[in-house]
Every structure is written in structure tokens, then in C-alpha cells.
Amino acid sequence: MTNPNGVTVLIPAYNPDEQLIKLIRDIVKEGFKQILVVNDGSKPECDSIFKKIKEWKECTLLEHQVNKGKGQALKTAFSHFLSTSPNAVGLVTLDADGQHAVEDMKKVATRLCERPESLVLGVRNFSADDIPFRSKFGNVLTKNIARFACGMQISDTQTGLRGIPAHFIEKLIYVAGQRYEFEMNMLMECKPNNIEIEEVEIQTIYLEENKSSHFKPIRDSIKIYATFLKFVLSSVLSFGLDILLFALFVMMLNGVFVESYIILATVLSRVLSSLFNFTVNRKVVFKSTSSYAMVKYFSLSIAQMLASAGGVYLIFELVGFGEVGIKIVVDGLLFLASYVIQKEWVFKEKYQVRAGQ
């Protein structure tokens, strides 16, 4: 890399050990002049480590009085970076526990300088036999859910070694997530912002079976995909409400509207269940205040209904059998598409404009 000064190194740290001191010493030896370290509310026993860090002129130490999570630690550093490094290419983030080799960090920084419009991921190989189970399980789980839910083909969704271009950082400050889920949300923001993802293969290093990692595969994976899981639950509840309301309206209208009570019951139950689904998705799932969200939502609902009817009809005309199975497949694909469209269009918040930017 020809210009290490064009890249700032960012290390979020929570209860680090002496590995952090060694890591910074090696980074400084490679010529990097801007290193941001965030003490994310570490225990008092770590004060001596952070005191040593302050002695390096290349280092800036940012501190949280209490632990706020990795996502917030990154955002704290992002804000500092934007206010102090207006001409930098971007940031390279890496973990404080010695899991990333400095030579790999240099590879990511080099690629970032070569491709300053892309998000660069240092990806590990999880096929080796000596990979700790919880790390392998966590990556397989998050990678496959990302592929299923968002169509994202990423080799290592959990990597903390990332090269982030400066122009993308301005938007990431406003992305949801305080803890590990923020790193997944960062990946989710690439597609709607036309950010290409570059992968650089790195070493897979685990010290003492990765005991120092604060990532909990089951718990943190649930947090990472909380939005999608809430979307699924909202859809299930809305479906149940639709069926209950339909049954109720059938009982109320049967005998009053002899020939049209089924149609009326269907329309009334669908309208009410859709209003319920819209309200839950807006306030609980996506937590949006987006303007015209209701107009967008019902426009999507109409388009989804037409696509379902048209898709089932066309496929049935081609194969000639299995209407129910065809509808399950078509509606399943439309369900995933609906999640993405609601997240990226219906309830999408516009990025705020930073003062002075």
C-alpha cells in the first residue's frame, strides 16, 4: 500500500488484554499514523492497558463510561473520524483480541485504497477442522439466513476486519443497531446505497478456542435478525386475524347479504388485518416515521395480490396441475420480496443531513 496515512485504523475494545498492546505496536511499525481505539466501558482492571495506549502519539482513545455495545462503539469512532479526517480514504476496523493479523489488515487497507467506493471484508475460511464449533455455527447460521432473507452472497458475515469508505461512513452513523447486529445492518445497507462488497481472504486465527470473543452465536444471531423475525411474527398474526375476522363477518352477514356475504367478509377482514399489519410493521418491526408509508404499503399490497394471482395462473397454465403447491411457492417468494421492499422503500427513513457536512 502506497499511502497508509490515507486510512485510519479503528479498534473497538471491551475488556481487552495485552494482545491489544501488541496489536497496536505492530500497526504502528507498519507506518499507520491514525489509530482510533474505543474503550467501550471496560472494567477498571483494563485501565493500565488504555493508559499505555494513550502514550502512543499515533493513537486517539475514545471512551464510554459504560458498555454500550460494539455497534455504538463503532458509531462513536465514526463521528470522530468524520470531524477530524475530511480527506481520508476511510476506516479499517479490526477486533482487539488478536484474531486479526496485521498483514491481513494491510491487505484490506490496500484493497480499500484501490477500491475506495466499496466495502471491503476480510473473510475467513470456515471449512477447516480446527475451527471452534461456536464460531463455525455462528457464521453458517448468519450466512444462510442472510442468503435466505436478503439474497446476499457473503462468505463471512461476522468478520470484524472491514475496510469502510469515508462516504459510506456518513450514512452508517444513522443505521440502527447498538451491538453486534449493527455489523449485519451495515451489510444490509450496501445494496440500497449501491455499495459493492469486496472480499479479501484472510487467516483464520483463534486464540484459546476463541474464548475472548464476546459474540454469543444463538443470542446475538437472534438480535441480528430481530427485524426479520418480527416481520415474520407480524405476518403470522395478521394472517390469524384475517381468518378470525372472516369467520366473524361470515356469521354476521350471512342471511343479510345472501349472494355477496363471502365477498364482503373477505374484503372487510382483509382491510382490517392489513391495517393491523401496517401499524405493527411501522411501529414495531421497522420503527419508521416515513412519509406516505401507508400509500406505499397499500400500493405494495395491491401489487403483491396481483402478482400472486397472475403468477399462480401463468404457472398453472404451463404445468396444468398443483394449484395449491404453486400458490405456496409463489406467495413464499413474494413474502421475501415484500420484506425487502418494505424495509428499503415503504418504511425506509431518509438519511439526516449532518450539520457542516
Side-chain angles (χ1 to χ4, degrees):
M1 183 175 59
T2 58
N3 182 23
N5 294 327
V7 174
T8 298
V9 179
L10 165 57
I11 308 173
Y14 176 57
N15 294 338
D17 57 21
E18 291 294 328
Q19 287 288 339
L20 178 56
I21 299 300
K22 180 180 183 302
L23 176 64
I24 293 176
R25 184 180 296 114
D26 292 342
I27 293 172
V28 170
K29 286 180 181 178
E30 294 296 336
F32 288 87
K33 304 297 184 184
Q34 302 293 330
I35 303 172
L36 291 178
V37 179
V38 182
N39 173 11
D40 186 27
S42 299
K43 57 189 179 182
E45 291 83 349
C46 300
D47 288 350
S48 60
I49 293 174
F50 292 112
K51 184 177 179 180
K52 291 179 183 178
I53 290 172
K54 289 181 179 179
E55 296 174 358
W56 270 296
K57 65 179 185 300
E58 294 86 356
C59 290
T60 299
L61 180 65
L62 307 174
E63 298 188 88
H64 291 162
Q65 294 303 310
V66 296
N67 178 251
K68 296 183 178 181
K70 188 176 183 181
Q72 187 56 53
L74 292 173
K75 292 178 186 179
T76 295
F78 289 171
S79 296
H80 180 87
F81 170 82
L82 291 174
S83 64
T84 59
S85 307
N87 299 317
V89 175
L91 285 167
V92 172
T93 67
L94 68 163
D95 296 338
D97 55 7
Q99 304 295 334
H100 299 132
V102 173
E103 59 189 274
D104 288 329
M105 185 271 292
K106 288 174 58 182
K107 288 167 59 176
V108 170
T110 299
R111 182 66 64 86
L112 179 61
C113 289
E114 295 169 350
R115 299 294 299 274
E117 300 299 314
S118 300
L119 176 68
V120 183
L121 302 180
V123 300
R124 299 160 291 181
N125 180 0
F126 286 89
S127 61
D129 294 334
D130 58 347
I131 302 298
F133 172 76
R134 71 170 184 164
S135 298
K136 183 179 293 188
F137 173 80
N139 184 70
V140 170
L141 179 65
T142 56
K143 180 172 68 175
N144 285 300
I145 295 180
R147 182 178 300 169
F148 172 76
C150 310
M152 300 173 63
Q153 302 288 333
I154 297 175
S155 303
D156 186 354
T157 58
Q158 296 177 13
T159 179
L161 181 51
R162 305 181 178 200
I164 311 173
H167 67 94
F168 192 29
I169 292 171
E170 296 178 3
K171 298 179 178 180
L172 291 176
I173 286 180
Y174 304 107
V175 171
Q178 297 289 106
R179 298 187 180 276
Y180 286 103
E181 71 273 14
F182 174 73
E183 291 185 303
M184 177 56 69
N185 292 343
M186 181 192 301
L187 301 179
M188 299 291 191
E189 288 298 315
C190 289
K191 190 172 183 179
N193 286 283
N194 297 315
I195 302 292
E196 293 188 6
I197 295 178
E198 296 271 332
E199 294 192 348
V200 175
E201 187 172 343
I202 63 173
Q203 302 173 60
T204 305
I205 303 172
Y206 290 111
L207 305 175
E208 297 181 353
E209 290 292 302
N210 205 23
K211 291 180 181 178
S212 61
S213 174
H214 302 290
F215 184 84
K216 309 299 181 185
I218 300 294
R219 184 196 67 187
D220 291 320
S221 293
I222 290 174
K223 289 181 179 179
I224 287 170
Y225 295 102
T227 300
F228 182 69
L229 294 175
K230 286 187 288 187
F231 179 79
V232 172
L233 180 59
S234 170
S235 300
V236 171
L237 291 175
S238 300
F239 173 77
L241 180 63
D242 184 53
I243 298 299
L244 289 174
L245 289 172
F246 176 78
L248 177 63
F249 285 127
V250 164
M251 289 189 294
M252 293 173 59
L253 300 175
N254 188 9
V256 179
F257 300 93
V258 178
E259 296 183 354
S260 60
Y261 74 93
I262 292 179
I263 295 175
L264 288 172
T266 299
V267 171
L268 288 172
S269 62
R270 182 57 55 87
V271 169
L272 292 175
S273 63
S274 295
L275 286 171
F276 169 80
N277 184 251
F278 167 78
T279 302
V280 173
N281 284 359
R282 182 173 189 174
K283 294 185 177 296
V284 179
V285 178
F286 298 107
K287 298 179 181 178
S288 170
T289 58
S290 175
S291 301
Y292 307 109
M294 181 174 285
V295 174
K296 293 179 181 179
Y297 175 86
F298 283 101
S299 297
L300 173 63
S301 297
I302 293 171
Q304 188 172 353
M305 179 181 64
L306 295 175
S308 175
V312 172
Y313 175 79
L314 291 174
I315 296 174
F316 178 73
E317 286 293 305
L318 289 174
V319 301
F321 63 92
E323 303 98 316
V324 176
I326 292 171
K327 181 170 176 56
I328 290 173
V329 173
V330 170
D331 285 357
L333 293 174
L334 288 173
F335 173 77
L336 296 178
S338 176
Y339 169 74
V340 175
I341 294 171
Q342 288 190 47
K343 180 177 184 293
E344 302 300 342
W345 180 59
V346 175
F347 299 108
K348 181 72 172 181
E349 301 280 6
K350 290 184 178 181
Y351 289 114
Q352 304 174 40
V353 178
R354 289 175 57 83
Q357 295 296 317

